[in-house]
Amino acid sequence: VIGGASAMAGSGTMATGSKWQKEDGYEDSAEKLVEDMMANGHQKNDRATVELFANTIGEAFDWLVGEDGAAVPYQRSGKPSRSYSGEGRGAGVCKNLAERLETVGGTLLTNTPATEFVVENGAVVGVKAEGEGKAYTIRAKAVILASGGFGADLDRVAALKPALAGFVTTNVSTVTGDGIDMAVAVGAATVDMEQIQIHPSVYTETTTALITEGIRGDGAILVNQEGKRFVNELETRDNVSAAELAQEGGYAYTILDQKMMDASSTYNGYFTKGYAVQADSYEALAEKLGIDPATFASTMETWNKAVADQKDDAFGRLSFASALDTAPYYAIKVSPGIHHTMGGVKINTNAEVLTAEDQVIPGLYAAGEVTGGVHGANRLGGNAVADIVVFGRIAAQNAAAYIAK
């Protein structure tokens, strides 16, 4: 299948410095994005790579949505925003990019895993692959590795970070790190392999589904088994996940109202798919969840007052959207799950793959979740698709220049 973490992305695509952002009047800057990414990654990111990302994402986003670029359909409301959502979210973006590849003459082979790089005179000159009873040796003047992370290899995750043993994953089953292993086999170094992100909004009752964290940015709150809020819902993914794990049962409920449902086909889809519990009053919803009705109703009234006052005395949340006061009300049970692996192959700012001695492996480039260093200890929401677009373009541009030499 096409797309790993990017196809699972429920948030928008970072667009700092893009034409749309400037036209919509959103106040942002590359410098601010750098500091946000460094803080979110707990200062473990490679700053040079982050600065490159922040100063390039606007141009890359323009290319992604532009008719003279990838022409991927994106939604634009005209409201000031740091990010925009592709039609169909991450899955839609990956589908459209795959179709665009074939439109311009590319050949896409699925069910054909690459097994090793072909190396001659110290340079990567192709790959070997196997698929549907056939063996391939594909020659190339340069190779770009974009095979994703290893979030579905639960044994590897547990070995690198024992505390995550037993967690579910949001990743498709093919995201097992085989591309990283291929690169290591030809001398590539890896960085940050133990940095594995868990996402606080994973539904696991009838299936495993990622609930977009945008739902909290749009006004939803989290409550525990006592019917109380317990965290600033807009904290970083790792902090919200840790707060959930500290609650009874290690899970929480995302609470939203009909207003939010009406404003988003994605949120409404959570209900039609059976992920959300519905009730006509706070008390009735609490009863369905096995929560004390009076406590939950008090929590909701306190939250609605915080929205009206634009002040969250309990947890210091700074973004409120609108009150959750339009019946019926909904709850989605969520808990943390493995979402993104920040570690991977080491690259430089040309997206060239490096050895442990920081020597370039000629002919080999890498982009996306297969690489490490960009996100540090925690990836900022909105940077999954942005990552592949920024570094995919950089890898392609430098591979083309390498070929032309």
Side-chain angles (χ1 to χ4, degrees):
V1 296
I2 302 304
S6 298
M8 297 298 296
S11 299
T13 301
M14 197 68 66
T16 298
S18 66
K19 292 177 182 176
W20 282 10
Q21 190 185 69
K22 291 173 183 175
E23 291 169 358
D24 291 343
Y26 187 80
E27 295 294 329
D28 202 1
S29 69
E31 293 77 15
K32 186 176 187 303
L33 179 56
V34 167
E35 296 311 318
D36 287 348
M37 289 178 65
M38 294 298 298
N40 201 76
H42 305 308
Q43 307 298 325
K44 294 183 182 296
N45 329 50
D46 177 69
R47 181 173 281 271
T49 308
V50 173
E51 289 176 348
L52 175 65
F53 174 91
N55 282 284
T56 309
I57 181 55
E59 174 190 334
F61 183 84
D62 292 342
W63 171 86
L64 179 65
V65 302
E67 289 301 320
D68 57 347
V72 174
Y74 261 69
Q75 300 164 343
R76 186 184 183 189
S77 65
K79 296 178 181 178
S81 179
R82 193 176 213 183
S83 63
Y84 299 90
S85 294
E87 293 183 6
R89 301 278 175 164
V93 173
C94 290
K95 176 177 179 291
N96 276 283
L97 284 171
E99 291 173 352
R100 178 65 170 157
L101 170 69
E102 296 185 310
T103 297
V104 299
T107 299
L108 187 62
L109 300 178
T110 54
N111 298 311
T112 310
T115 56
E116 61 182 296
F117 292 115
V118 178
V119 180
E120 293 178 358
N121 300 318
V124 172
V125 295
V127 296
K128 292 184 179 181
E130 299 174 355
E132 298 179 342
K134 295 182 180 180
Y136 299 86
T137 297
I138 302 171
R139 305 284 298 188
K141 295 180 180 179
V143 175
I144 299 173
L145 179 63
S147 56
F150 56 91
D153 185 346
L154 298 181
D155 290 338
R156 189 192 310 233
V157 167
L160 288 165
K161 203 165 187 175
L164 298 183
F167 275 55
V168 299
T169 180
T170 65
N171 290 263
V172 293
S173 61
T174 54
V175 183
T176 56
D178 46 332
I180 297 173
D181 296 337
M182 286 171 55
V184 169
V186 295
T190 59
V191 292
D192 297 339
M193 289 293 285
E194 75 286 356
Q195 302 296 347
I196 300 168
Q197 182 181 70
I198 54 175
H199 196 294
S201 299
V202 183
Y203 171 84
T204 60
E205 291 297 279
T206 58
T207 185
T208 298
L210 181 65
I211 306 300
T212 175
E213 64 188 343
I215 201 169
R216 302 194 302 278
D218 286 345
I221 62 171
L222 293 171
V223 301
N224 60 18
Q225 295 312 292
E226 296 179 357
K228 299 176 181 179
R229 289 178 67 220
F230 56 89
V231 69
N232 173 354
E233 294 86 354
L234 302 187
E235 262 280 4
T236 58
R237 289 173 176 174
D238 54 343
N239 287 340
V240 176
S241 293
E244 282 182 356
L245 290 171
Q247 305 308 306
E248 181 183 351
Y251 63 90
Y253 292 103
T254 300
I255 308 298
L256 60 160
D257 69 351
Q258 190 61 46
K259 235 184 1 282
M260 290 186 63
M261 283 288 189
D262 291 341
S264 170
S265 59
T266 298
Y267 304 159
N268 191 58
Y270 296 149
F271 178 65
T272 58
K273 291 174 183 176
Y275 304 164
V277 175
Q278 179 198 62
D280 290 330
S281 68
Y282 298 143
E283 290 83 359
L285 184 61
E287 288 178 358
K288 286 189 175 183
L289 301 177
I291 292 173
D292 179 67
T295 300
F296 179 65
S298 175
T299 294
M300 296 306 296
E301 290 162 5
T302 299
W303 171 248
N304 290 336
K305 184 177 186 303
V307 175
D309 296 341
Q310 294 289 286
K311 186 180 180 183
D312 177 21
D313 290 328
F315 298 101
R317 179 166 164 169
L318 299 176
S319 176
F320 300 92
S322 60
L324 298 172
D325 57 4
T326 304
Y329 304 100
Y330 301 83
I332 306 171
K333 186 178 179 181
V334 293
S335 57
I338 297 159
H339 183 54
H340 192 92
T341 50
M342 279 76 69
V345 174
K346 188 175 185 180
I347 60 171
N348 61 17
T349 52
N350 291 326
E352 296 170 302
V353 176
L354 303 177
T355 68
E357 294 75 32
D358 287 339
Q359 297 299 305
V360 169
I361 299 176
L364 185 58
Y365 301 80
E369 195 181 2
V370 74
T371 69
V374 182
H375 305 295
N378 192 56
R379 179 173 64 75
L380 185 66
N383 273 348
V385 173
D387 186 3
I388 67 168
V389 176
V390 167
F391 290 100
R393 290 183 77 232
I394 289 171
Q397 290 161 351
N398 287 301
Y402 172 81
I403 291 169
K405 289 180 180 178

